[in-house]
Amino acid sequence: MTTPLNYSYYPGCSLHASAGEYDLSTRELFKALKIGLTEVPDWFCCGATPAHNVDELLSLSLCAKNLELAEQVEGDLAVACAACFSRLKTAQHVLGESPVKRKQVEKALDAPLHLDGNVKHLLDILARDLGLERLAAAVNKPLTGLKVACYYGCLLTRPTDVTNLDCVEAPTIMERVIESAGATTVAWTHRLECCGANFTLSRPGVVIQLANAILDSAKAAGADCIMVGCPLCHGNLDIRQKEIEGVYNVEYNLPVFYLTQLVGLAVGLGPDKLGLDAMIVNPMPLLKEKNLS
Amino acid sequence: MHPEKQKHTFEPKIIAFVCTWCTYAGADLAGTSRMQYPPNVRVLKFPCTGRIDPVFILKAFQQGADGVLVSGCHPGDCHYIAGNFHARRRFAVFRKLLEFVGVDLNRLQFSWVSAAEGGKWVEVVTDLTEKVRAMGPMTEFRELALEEQWSGAINTPELEEAYNQI
Amino acid sequence: MKKKKMIISRETMDVDFVRKVEALSGTSVRRCFQCGKCSAGCPMATFMEHPPNRVVRLLQLGQWQRVLAGRSIWYCASCETCSTRCPNKVHLASIMDALRKLSWDLDGPSKESYVQLANKIFLDNIRIYGRQYEMRLAAVFNVKSGQFLKDMMLGPKLLSKGKLKMFHSKNKNMPEIEKIFARIEEMRRKGEAL
Amino acid sequence: MSRIGVFICHCGENISRTVDVERVAREVGLLPGVAFSTDYKYMCSDPGQNLLKKAIQEQKLSHVVVAACSPRMHERTFRKAVEAAGLNPFLCEMANIREHCSWVHENKEEATVKAVEIVGMMVERVKKNRVLPTITVPVTKRSLVIGGGIAGIQAALDIADAGHEVILVEREPSIGGHMAQLSETFPTLDCSQCIMTPKMVDVANHPKIRLYTYSEIELVEGYIGNFQVTIRKKARSVDEDKCTGCGVCMEKCPIRKIPNKFDCNLGMRPAIYVPFPQAVPNTPVIDRENCTKFKTGKCGLCQKVCGPGAVDYEQEDRLIVEPVGAIVVATGFDLYNITEKPKGSMIKGYGEFGHGKIPDVIDGMTFERLASASGPTGGKILRPSDGKEPKQIVFIQCIGSRAREKGISYCSKVCCMYTAKHTMLYHHKVHDGQAYVFFMDARTPGKAYDEFWRRSIEEEEAVYIRGMVSRLYQKGDKIVVMGSDIAVGVQVEIEADMVVLATAVQPQAGADALAQKLGISYDKYNFYSEAHAKLRPVECATAGIYLAGACQGPKDIPDTVSQASAAAAKVMTLFAKDKLEREPIVARVREAGCVGCFACKKVCAYGAVEEKEIRDRQGNLIKVVAYVNPGVCGGCGTCQATCPSKCVELDGYTDEQIVAMIEAL
Ligand SMILES: Cc1cc2nc3c(=O)[nH]c(=O)nc-3n(C[C@H](O)[C@H](O)[C@H](O)COP(=O)(O)OP(=O)(O)OC[C@H]3O[C@@H](n4cnc5c(N)ncnc54)[C@H](O)[C@@H]3O)c2cc1C
Ligand SMILES: Cc1cc2nc3c(=O)[nH]c(=O)nc-3n(C[C@H](O)[C@H](O)[C@H](O)COP(=O)(O)OP(=O)(O)OC[C@H]3O[C@@H](n4cnc5c(N)ncnc54)[C@H](O)[C@@H]3O)c2cc1C
Ligand code: SF4
Ligand code: SF4
Ligand code: SF4
Ligand code: SF4
Ligand code: SF4
Ligand code: SF4
Ligand code: SF4
Ligand code: SF4
């Protein structure tokens, strides 16, 4: 018998809003895999990119406060959003390295810091804590024939030596996870390129340009769909896909799944439990074609 | 710079422990360049600062020195590859020890003077002489009865640790 | 764009500013040997008037006004590509953070107001609600930036998919968050933090 | 009771102008132990020296102090004179009353008092001086050269031409090293093989050179003039004496598809092979890991076809002991390998360049093999993936080098030049092709070097782009190069057919292990350390061991050959004497007190401290103590200051002598 897996859970702002299906599918998948998930009570925004962009001290303080809140729940902290993950990890790293900043943050929180807890992205939990073998064993509807382009974006593996999720330049963790679920992965050139998430509001033109290159690369590699582990990437690739097609006069029609949605499918969860209806690029034709729904 | 010779009531005794290759040669250069400095310093030549046992410094103070200068090659320039490096580590610990026994560390100066730095030699010696002159004679230590068997006598934990570090 | 001649002297090289950048970012500006690898991989370089390597170069020369006057720093996406690949351990993404912070403090001699505005609304959101409400974020941004029509196409689609929340929930930690903001402001006032 | 003679020099007026020399002589004469004191106008002149000699004999002096100039000037002079008068030279000391006294003070009274004290100190010191024997060690006039690249070859030939025997040990089956792999060489573009192979043949034919290829150093004992070296001659499975080099075995061997390391794995070789056709010796070796006979016991074809019966499957490694007097280390370099991260190394990989797994991304040495007329493509530039001629080729400099983040901060020194060479070779061979180079700086100091680089740009029309590359990726059959041009300030993208990375020059694998056997020091990258960066650049701190070539730091061929000849000259200087004489300023251990902590050994930069077992008459081990090898000791005295039990002593600078001086204050 292996010890039961239990985590505290930090969904991050988007999962309570635009990325509701990521939240839903995460909870359902973990339930199916018998992994405990308890949401950190009254967590708040980690500050994401805008905070560290202009105010590192604020960003560090917000992250540190959330880490402290997470201590109330037993287990390592599971994080779904790549941006939150990167922020929380960076805060742990920076505060561990710089006594000056640590002092400042302690002052801002008016409390000592809790930095020892493990912060893990969902991928890490699936690939390492649960393990690929147990994951594969739980699969009852393998995604046979589905060609997936795994999109890491910039923040899952960076900065170097901080997130420690996988090799910064040649990660394979997403591929390994989804291959365990029976899918085929494609080798493509833009899996680590940035989609410009930060500019989705202020400079959508930039995002459209960057996201187009990513979609183009995935299409060229023969992918049926894209898999992401970040609500921001998802927003740019899925929600904006139609707009991009219009601007560049191309047709991609690439459904963009959260990793939990695809793995969820493979362990036999229905579309309603995965929020597939919330996807802007309708995945159903593809899933029908591949006999996956 | 001593245009007018001043009369002093107190002439400190300065002992300089120097290495042959750099500082001794630097002092020679000061001579060949006919530079001038106070006559208070007595030079003891060592092959290398690595040879300088901290005990000699204690001994010098005990024998009436008011100031001690230790000088060798610049880091990385040791004629014997790394002797000055070991010396540096040893003295770092030794300073703490001296402080502990009550020697004012201003009386002890470490410096690097290369064979080309006659001017620096003059500067270092002059500065130390003036500094020590201002401090007055070193009396505390003369009374302090050092063990006659001086060699290896100060085996304090600090020194021990220093040896282990090397 | 007309370029002003750069007069270099001890007086025109503002080392203090650069030291602040180094303190905030925890990385050395002098280390950069101008290989350009950062700029080669930066996804945003084509949008910047000073590519990343040149931002560092201008800092090396103490010419921060030139950097802040442009929009380069606001076009950095914080993707960390530059820091990850710099052969010389220059953490350029953190330098960009520091520059934005300092520019923000100087009340923006920058030309790029949209990004600043978005950031500001984002931070206000945290202070007021504890979390982000994308609806509010977008709405306020559109009103304040005067871009009412931008992204109008997306709105209804998102609403129909349940992707935009209209209401926010209560967060018990709100007083605590306000305190964090306030303490940081206090520290800055007292000069205990940059 | 000592009878000390003190001689005060006027140095014309140099001393006597500010020091009352007569008074000094008078006052010093009163010191206990001083039997004679006098002053003289020029002590170093012949009459002065004669005065000294006469006094020693007439006054039966036991010790001498000459108060004059700096010992750095005339210590030798006076010690010789003392020796001529029958005293041990180390019973003579000099008191420096010129550089340290008369020249730096104006006040006669003060200077005279100081002079008296200086002389007094030396009087006390000299009393404690002991008779020191001059140390002589015999010299074995044979030398060992480790590594048979151009450095080792040059050094071996120079020493052998001077008439001394040389033992040349090479790890690979053939000598030649990296230069044998090169196509043409900068800055003159002459064919590497054409200038290299005659030298290799010279080595093979030289009566004074004994060549051990496919051999390694097992053990090194002894010290300058007297090393004992154990060499492991690995089993070749072919008898070198019988083999005629006909090559029939290689033709017949059924195993044919083993990547040839010499061709950077571009070409294939059989299981019994010579690395390249001009190999020296031209004797094949069986690669036992891949030979069917060794794997399964079957085959044995090569033995059957070999006319002279040279193939010997039973052959075993042999250990050979050779006495030598000097060692030249010339183990060369290797290239930073971006495809794999060596275990435990500080090197980080290049994931952004695909970890070297994109087939048409190659390193500089692989390009050399492609460009070499005797290489796997016969000198045609063809890409490894599909054998097509690349029409757009991109070179990227400083890969691994100058990249602290990746683990190496130094400049590899040769890649700027060889990249310029590569662009030329490429343009000579592919007329409709275009070469691009991404670079940060062009480091081309050297005779005719910068002109060479400029030629590649101005005449051969290579396009140089000042800026680095962030990422490489395969797109179809092209490689997309994402770079930047920092002069223009824009990103640059090139779709290349082939990419050549100028990867860093690093020491050979195992360089550290060899250094430990030799007892020489090396830096954090495993390059061997010279004794002094400027003034003793070919000597190791360990006496009798010399460095040549890229094992000491990145070097091109001219530098390598210069250093090799310099090392050879140093060896010959050593061999010019039958016995080595050296100042007896060496450390000595009082075994009785030594507790065997070996603190001394740790600090000794010369590796002079050895462990010595003390046994009783029955041969039972009593204790292990330190022993300082006088042939190796540099005389720094660091051990003495370090020894916690004060039982190692540096002759000439004993605690007694120094304390005597301090007490004379
Ligand atoms: C791609 C490239 C192109 C170049 N082009 C030029 C050029 O055009 N012009 C120029 O001047 N220079 C050029 N160089 C530099 C040149 O290759 C070196 O200067 C030269 O080869 C150094 O010679 P070496 O004898 O020191 O080392 P090496 O050639 O590396 O020889 C060392 C020898 O020692 C042997 N060895 C290693 N370890 C041991 C051991 N433990 N025991 C026994 N033997 C051992 C090795 O097997 C090898 O045979 C180039 C270098 C590169 C990488
Ligand atoms: C500004 C500067 C700074 C430098 N700094 C460094 C440094 O920091 N580190 C370093 O490693 N190198 C340095 N160098 C280089 C260094 O100076 C040279 O490598 C070195 O001096 C060369 O020594 P040399 O004996 O070949 O030539 P020289 O020093 O020029 O000696 C040649 C001698 O030959 C004599 N001579 C000339 N012609 C005749 C003749 N016809 N008959 C008889 N005698 C003759 C000359 O009078 C002279 O004494 C520097 C060079 C310069 C210019
Ligand atoms: S990659 Fe690093 S060293 Fe190179 S230009 Fe950018 S910051 Fe400077
Ligand atoms: S962090 Fe900013 S500057 Fe660096 S590569 Fe990304 S966008 Fe460019
Ligand atoms: S081993 Fe025999 S067959 Fe092979 S080359 Fe030598 S002589 Fe010829
Ligand atoms: S015995 Fe080995 S080397 Fe000889 S022919 Fe057979 S496989 Fe080749
Ligand atoms: S020689 Fe040129 S290419 Fe090689 S490391 Fe030095 S600067 Fe870079
Ligand atoms: S000419 Fe001199 S200064 Fe210029 S690059 Fe060469 S070595 Fe450097
Ligand atoms: S340091 Fe002294 S006691 Fe220790 S081994 Fe060396 S000589 Fe012996
Ligand atoms: S005197 Fe110096 S070289 Fe000689 S044994 Fe001692 S430490 Fe080694």
Side-chain angles (χ1 to χ4, degrees), chain B residues 2-27:
Chain B
H2 300 274
E4 258 317 296
K5 215 49 212 144
Q6 291 156 269
K7 279 273 165 279
H8 299 286
T9 43
F10 164 56
E11 286 298 338
K13 254 189 198 175
I14 311 283
I15 299 214
F17 296 130
V18 308
C19 80
T20 305
W21 303 97
C22 289
T23 306
Y24 195 91

Short mmCIF file of all heavy atoms in Angstrom, two decimals, chain B residues 2-27:
data_model
loop_
_atom_site.label_atom_id
_atom_site.label_comp_id
_atom_site.label_asym_id
_atom_site.label_seq_id
_atom_site.Cartn_x
_atom_site.Cartn_y
_atom_site.Cartn_z
N HIS B 2 59.57 64.38 4.98
CA HIS B 2 60.02 64.94 6.27
C HIS B 2 61.00 66.06 6.00
O HIS B 2 62.20 65.88 6.14
CB HIS B 2 60.70 63.87 7.13
CG HIS B 2 59.80 62.75 7.43
ND1 HIS B 2 58.94 62.75 8.49
CD2 HIS B 2 59.63 61.57 6.81
CE1 HIS B 2 58.27 61.61 8.50
NE2 HIS B 2 58.67 60.88 7.49
N PRO B 3 60.48 67.19 5.57
CA PRO B 3 61.42 68.26 5.22
C PRO B 3 62.18 68.73 6.48
O PRO B 3 63.40 68.76 6.49
CB PRO B 3 60.53 69.37 4.66
CG PRO B 3 59.11 69.02 5.04
CD PRO B 3 59.08 67.60 5.46
N GLU B 4 61.41 69.03 7.52
CA GLU B 4 62.05 69.47 8.77
C GLU B 4 62.09 68.33 9.75
O GLU B 4 61.06 67.71 10.03
CB GLU B 4 61.24 70.64 9.38
CG GLU B 4 61.85 72.03 9.15
CD GLU B 4 63.36 72.07 9.35
OE1 GLU B 4 63.81 71.85 10.50
OE2 GLU B 4 64.09 72.33 8.36
N LYS B 5 63.20 67.98 10.18
CA LYS B 5 63.29 66.89 11.15
C LYS B 5 62.67 67.36 12.47
O LYS B 5 63.09 68.36 13.04
CB LYS B 5 64.77 66.59 11.34
CG LYS B 5 65.26 65.19 11.57
CD LYS B 5 64.87 64.06 10.77
CE LYS B 5 64.84 62.80 11.61
NZ LYS B 5 63.80 61.92 11.24
N GLN B 6 61.66 66.64 12.92
CA GLN B 6 61.07 67.03 14.19
C GLN B 6 61.74 66.26 15.32
O GLN B 6 62.25 65.17 15.12
CB GLN B 6 59.58 66.71 14.21
CG GLN B 6 58.77 67.58 13.28
CD GLN B 6 57.50 66.88 12.89
OE1 GLN B 6 57.45 66.18 11.90
NE2 GLN B 6 56.48 67.05 13.70
N LYS B 7 61.65 66.83 16.46
CA LYS B 7 62.17 66.11 17.64
C LYS B 7 60.99 65.41 18.29
O LYS B 7 59.94 66.00 18.52
CB LYS B 7 62.81 67.11 18.63
CG LYS B 7 64.22 67.50 18.23
CD LYS B 7 65.25 66.51 18.78
CE LYS B 7 66.62 66.64 18.13
NZ LYS B 7 66.74 65.95 16.83
N HIS B 8 61.17 64.17 18.54
CA HIS B 8 60.11 63.44 19.22
C HIS B 8 60.61 62.96 20.56
O HIS B 8 61.78 62.63 20.71
CB HIS B 8 59.69 62.21 18.40
CG HIS B 8 59.16 62.59 17.06
ND1 HIS B 8 57.93 63.15 16.88
CD2 HIS B 8 59.73 62.49 15.83
CE1 HIS B 8 57.74 63.36 15.57
NE2 HIS B 8 58.83 62.99 14.93
N THR B 9 59.68 62.90 21.50
CA THR B 9 60.09 62.37 22.79
C THR B 9 60.11 60.85 22.76
O THR B 9 60.90 60.21 23.41
CB THR B 9 59.12 62.83 23.89
OG1 THR B 9 57.79 62.72 23.38
CG2 THR B 9 59.41 64.25 24.29
N PHE B 10 59.21 60.29 21.92
CA PHE B 10 59.14 58.84 21.90
C PHE B 10 59.46 58.31 20.49
O PHE B 10 58.84 58.71 19.50
CB PHE B 10 57.73 58.39 22.32
CG PHE B 10 57.41 56.97 21.98
CD1 PHE B 10 58.24 55.92 22.42
CD2 PHE B 10 56.29 56.65 21.22
CE1 PHE B 10 57.95 54.61 22.09
CE2 PHE B 10 56.00 55.34 20.90
CZ PHE B 10 56.83 54.32 21.33
N GLU B 11 60.47 57.45 20.42
CA GLU B 11 60.81 56.82 19.15
C GLU B 11 60.39 55.36 19.20
O GLU B 11 61.03 54.55 19.86
CB GLU B 11 62.32 56.93 18.87
CG GLU B 11 62.78 58.32 18.46
CD GLU B 11 62.14 58.80 17.16
OE1 GLU B 11 61.67 57.94 16.36
OE2 GLU B 11 62.07 60.03 16.94
N PRO B 12 59.30 55.00 18.53
CA PRO B 12 58.84 53.61 18.63
C PRO B 12 59.79 52.65 17.90
O PRO B 12 60.49 53.05 16.97
CB PRO B 12 57.48 53.66 17.93
CG PRO B 12 57.54 54.82 17.02
CD PRO B 12 58.47 55.82 17.66
N LYS B 13 59.74 51.45 18.37
CA LYS B 13 60.50 50.39 17.69
C LYS B 13 59.55 49.60 16.82
O LYS B 13 58.53 49.10 17.32
CB LYS B 13 61.09 49.44 18.74
CG LYS B 13 62.56 49.61 18.92
CD LYS B 13 63.10 48.51 19.79
CE LYS B 13 64.45 48.95 20.33
NZ LYS B 13 65.00 47.99 21.26
N ILE B 14 59.88 49.51 15.56
CA ILE B 14 59.01 48.76 14.64
C ILE B 14 59.81 47.59 14.09
O ILE B 14 60.95 47.77 13.65
CB ILE B 14 58.58 49.64 13.45
CG1 ILE B 14 58.06 51.00 13.92
CG2 ILE B 14 57.58 48.90 12.58
CD1 ILE B 14 56.68 50.99 14.49
N ILE B 15 59.21 46.45 14.15
CA ILE B 15 59.88 45.29 13.53
C ILE B 15 59.10 44.88 12.31
O ILE B 15 57.86 44.79 12.35
CB ILE B 15 59.94 44.11 14.51
CG1 ILE B 15 60.73 44.57 15.71
CG2 ILE B 15 60.56 42.90 13.84
CD1 ILE B 15 61.54 43.52 16.32
N ALA B 16 59.81 44.66 11.23
CA ALA B 16 59.13 44.26 10.00
C ALA B 16 59.55 42.84 9.65
O ALA B 16 60.74 42.55 9.53
CB ALA B 16 59.49 45.21 8.87
N PHE B 17 58.57 41.98 9.51
CA PHE B 17 58.82 40.63 9.00
C PHE B 17 58.46 40.64 7.52
O PHE B 17 57.31 40.85 7.16
CB PHE B 17 57.94 39.61 9.73
CG PHE B 17 58.23 39.50 11.20
CD1 PHE B 17 57.22 39.57 12.14
CD2 PHE B 17 59.53 39.30 11.65
CE1 PHE B 17 57.48 39.45 13.50
CE2 PHE B 17 59.81 39.18 13.01
CZ PHE B 17 58.79 39.25 13.93
N VAL B 18 59.45 40.41 6.71
CA VAL B 18 59.16 40.52 5.27
C VAL B 18 59.69 39.31 4.52
O VAL B 18 60.59 38.60 4.99
CB VAL B 18 59.80 41.79 4.66
CG1 VAL B 18 59.40 43.02 5.46
CG2 VAL B 18 61.31 41.66 4.60
N CYS B 19 59.16 39.09 3.36
CA CYS B 19 59.67 38.00 2.53
C CYS B 19 60.78 38.52 1.64
O CYS B 19 60.84 39.70 1.31
CB CYS B 19 58.55 37.39 1.70
SG CYS B 19 58.16 38.34 0.24
N THR B 20 61.68 37.65 1.29
CA THR B 20 62.83 38.02 0.48
C THR B 20 62.45 38.59 -0.87
O THR B 20 63.06 39.53 -1.34
CB THR B 20 63.66 36.75 0.17
OG1 THR B 20 63.97 36.14 1.38
CG2 THR B 20 64.92 37.09 -0.58
N TRP B 21 61.48 37.93 -1.50
CA TRP B 21 61.30 38.13 -2.93
C TRP B 21 60.58 39.41 -3.26
O TRP B 21 60.85 40.04 -4.27
CB TRP B 21 60.57 36.93 -3.54
CG TRP B 21 61.33 35.70 -3.25
CD1 TRP B 21 61.10 34.82 -2.24
CD2 TRP B 21 62.49 35.24 -3.93
NE1 TRP B 21 62.04 33.83 -2.26
CE2 TRP B 21 62.91 34.05 -3.28
CE3 TRP B 21 63.22 35.71 -5.04
CZ2 TRP B 21 64.02 33.33 -3.69
CZ3 TRP B 21 64.32 34.99 -5.45
CH2 TRP B 21 64.72 33.81 -4.77
N CYS B 22 59.63 39.78 -2.45
CA CYS B 22 58.85 40.97 -2.78
C CYS B 22 59.20 42.14 -1.87
O CYS B 22 59.81 43.10 -2.29
CB CYS B 22 57.36 40.67 -2.73
SG CYS B 22 56.88 39.60 -4.10
N THR B 23 58.83 42.05 -0.60
CA THR B 23 58.95 43.24 0.23
C THR B 23 60.42 43.59 0.52
O THR B 23 60.79 44.76 0.51
CB THR B 23 58.15 43.06 1.52
OG1 THR B 23 56.82 42.70 1.17
CG2 THR B 23 58.13 44.33 2.34
N TYR B 24 61.25 42.59 0.78
CA TYR B 24 62.65 42.91 1.03
C TYR B 24 63.22 43.64 -0.19
O TYR B 24 63.91 44.65 -0.07
CB TYR B 24 63.46 41.65 1.33
CG TYR B 24 64.82 41.94 1.93
CD1 TYR B 24 64.98 42.00 3.32
CD2 TYR B 24 65.93 42.18 1.12
CE1 TYR B 24 66.21 42.28 3.88
CE2 TYR B 24 67.16 42.47 1.67
CZ TYR B 24 67.30 42.52 3.06
OH TYR B 24 68.53 42.81 3.62
N ALA B 25 62.88 43.10 -1.34
CA ALA B 25 63.36 43.72 -2.58
C ALA B 25 62.74 45.11 -2.75
O ALA B 25 63.40 46.03 -3.25
CB ALA B 25 63.03 42.85 -3.77
N GLY B 26 61.49 45.26 -2.31
CA GLY B 26 60.84 46.56 -2.39
C GLY B 26 61.56 47.56 -1.51
O GLY B 26 61.79 48.72 -1.89
N ALA B 27 61.97 47.11 -0.33
CA ALA B 27 62.71 47.98 0.59
C ALA B 27 64.07 48.33 0.00
O ALA B 27 64.55 49.45 0.13
CB ALA B 27 62.85 47.29 1.95
#
